Amino acid sequence: MYSDVDRTPVSIIISNYNYARFLRPCIDSALEQDYGDVEVIIVDDESTDNSVEIIESYGGRVRPCLRTRNGGHAAAFNTGFAASSGEIVLFLDADDYLYPNAVSEAVSAWEATIAQMQFRLHIVDEQEQIKDIFPPPELPFDSGDVVPKLLRKGRYQTTVTSGLAFDRSTLETIMPIPEQDFRQGADGYLATLAPLYGKVTSLEACLGAYRIHGGNHSVFAEKFGQRARWRVEHDFRRLEALSDQAAEIGLTVQQDANLHDPVHLEERLASLCVDESQHPVADDSKLALAVAGVSASLEMNASLRRRAVLAAWFLSIGVLPRQMAKTVLAWKLVASSRPAFLSRMSKTIRRTMD
């Protein structure tokens, strides 16, 4: 742990684009941390709503960075980081918020060898009613040296933007984030590359809230195929960035790493089944991806029961007719598409799979 924890400067960088309706609770949560040395930086990515007016109402309590050209997620992260000075850096999406003890809990657990810290978040709706936990508690975080997993499958169990904290020297090594490649999903770039330079530490407590609403980029159920295709392509960009960064320090990413990643394979199957004409991998087959999914499921860091259920699910996708497979994929990947009985069954299954 840091010997002078009260003196460790921390930066919270809020990235905002047209989230005026959520922005004030987000900013307030950053300002109301029970830890003293926190700077709050707000990057507005050329919003067209009244976000700037809200930001300016805080005066000198925050450091505004008002972009004059919309650049996307990575550009906002780069702008905010360049304006920051904290030794520990948190990126907070403007539709989410932190609990008052988030920074103090992170700092008290911080050690010099940490590159990234991660913690769970409550999933809340637009009215801030708690609906669930992300990631779900039955999915254990991957901690410590996660580099072997990254090199083998390009992913480890982590979380989203607002549940991450980073060591500044690590960020200085891997930033700036390529802005065209990561207009969305910049957190994926950081969480993929940061572990190359130190250990990952996980806190089991929920230290903030991840708001699910109709405007989230990652939640557009009515465009299921588009979402799946974007995630597949995002994984390819992450893997390319990881390969390049790993090569600089003498490491090699496995050539077929994505085929060992069940999360990627789920989305890749969805992309293929929903709209094969726009699927980004021309020679993919449903059965081959499903077989890879069975194998990847059995390698997961999860209970034997969970691994077996997921392997069986992949197998069913492989053998079902395409239209039925598409429906089953949607039920798993888009919760709002599930029949009520299946949602109740899913919650019951989750409780028994710890």
Side-chain angles (χ1 to χ4, degrees):
M1 297 182 184
Y2 279 116
S3 56
D4 294 320
V5 292
D6 293 336
R7 298 196 183 104
T8 304
V10 176
S11 300
I12 299 176
I13 299 170
I14 297 171
S15 55
N16 175 71
Y17 177 66
N18 283 346
Y19 273 163
R21 66 193 186 279
F22 304 127
L23 186 53
R24 196 172 292 279
C26 176
I27 297 173
D28 289 345
S29 79
L31 290 172
E32 293 168 2
Q33 291 298 304
D34 62 11
Y35 181 82
D37 197 350
V38 178
E39 63 174 1
V40 179
I41 297 163
I42 310 170
V43 182
D44 184 78
D45 198 20
E46 201 188 16
S47 293
T48 57
D49 60 11
N50 65 323
S51 291
V52 172
E53 178 184 343
I54 292 172
I55 294 168
E56 291 178 340
S57 73
Y58 285 87
R61 300 173 67 199
V62 302
R63 183 178 303 172
C65 296
L66 308 180
R67 291 179 54 84
T68 58
R69 183 175 61 86
N70 178 268
H73 213 203
F77 278 29
N78 290 339
T79 298
F81 183 63
S84 71
S85 59
E87 291 302 312
I88 299 172
V89 180
L90 292 82
F91 294 93
L92 178 61
D93 285 340
D95 51 343
D96 299 337
Y97 52 92
L98 296 173
Y99 295 155
N101 63 330
V103 170
S104 59
E105 291 288 334
V107 173
S108 66
W110 205 272
E111 298 175 351
T113 55
I114 292 175
Q116 175 185 304
M117 184 172 285
Q118 52 198 19
F119 46 87
R120 299 191 192 271
L121 300 166
H122 281 124
I123 296 176
V124 301
D125 61 18
E126 295 199 33
Q127 288 72 46
E128 301 182 8
Q129 297 297 306
I130 294 174
K131 298 298 183 180
D132 210 334
I133 294 174
F134 186 85
E138 64 269 19
L139 283 182
F141 277 130
D142 287 322
S143 303
D145 179 10
V146 302
V147 172
K149 285 193 175 183
L150 276 172
L151 298 182
R152 175 167 170 73
K153 64 179 186 177
R155 193 190 305 269
Y156 60 100
Q157 184 59 56
T158 183
T159 186
V160 293
T161 304
S162 302
L164 297 169
F166 297 94
D167 166 63
R168 182 174 198 84
S169 63
T170 297
L171 293 180
E172 288 172 342
T173 302
I174 64 178
M175 292 182 80
I177 305 169
E179 295 182 2
Q180 289 304 310
D181 287 343
F182 295 95
R183 278 191 61 87
Q184 296 292 343
D187 54 331
Y189 172 92
L190 295 180
T192 300
L193 270 60
L196 295 175
Y197 298 96
K199 73 177 183 179
V200 174
T201 292
S202 305
L203 305 180
E204 288 301 317
C206 288
L207 299 180
Y210 175 35
R211 196 190 303 264
I212 300 296
H213 56 88
N216 293 61
H217 174 77
S218 56
V219 181
F220 39 105
E222 71 282 3
K223 298 179 180 177
F224 176 42
Q226 180 183 337
R227 184 195 77 165
R229 189 165 58 253
W230 177 84
R231 287 184 170 176
V232 169
E233 291 170 343
H234 181 258
D235 280 347
F236 290 153
R237 290 190 291 270
R238 282 194 312 103
L239 197 63
E240 182 180 5
L242 174 63
S243 297
D244 291 345
Q245 195 77 28
E248 292 185 10
I249 57 175
L251 299 175
T252 303
V253 177
Q254 189 164 318
Q255 191 170 10
D256 62 348
N258 282 328
L259 296 180
H260 295 275
D261 174 11
V263 176
H264 172 82
L265 290 165
E266 289 174 0
E267 301 291 350
R268 195 152 152 184
L269 276 164
S271 171
L272 177 66
C273 290
V274 172
D275 191 349
E276 186 173 4
S277 66
Q278 296 195 59
H279 183 63
V281 185
D283 58 353
D284 269 351
S285 80
K286 184 163 69 72
L287 182 58
L289 290 176
V291 170
V294 170
S295 177
S297 300
L298 298 176
E299 298 175 1
M300 286 177 59
N301 177 20
S303 68
L304 177 59
R305 186 180 301 177
R306 172 170 287 274
R307 285 180 282 151
V309 169
L310 187 57
W313 178 85
F314 271 113
L315 187 60
S316 72
I317 298 298
V319 299
L320 284 171
R322 185 175 295 261
Q323 190 58 41
M324 290 181 65
K326 175 182 170 181
T327 300
V328 174
L329 280 158
W331 285 350
K332 184 176 191 302
L333 299 177
V334 184
S336 60
S337 71
R338 296 171 193 159
F341 82 89
L342 197 60
S343 293
R344 291 193 295 270
M345 185 185 302
S346 175
K347 291 178 181 177
T348 301
I349 291 171
R350 275 184 55 186
R351 287 195 293 268
T352 65
M353 291 177 64
D354 292 356

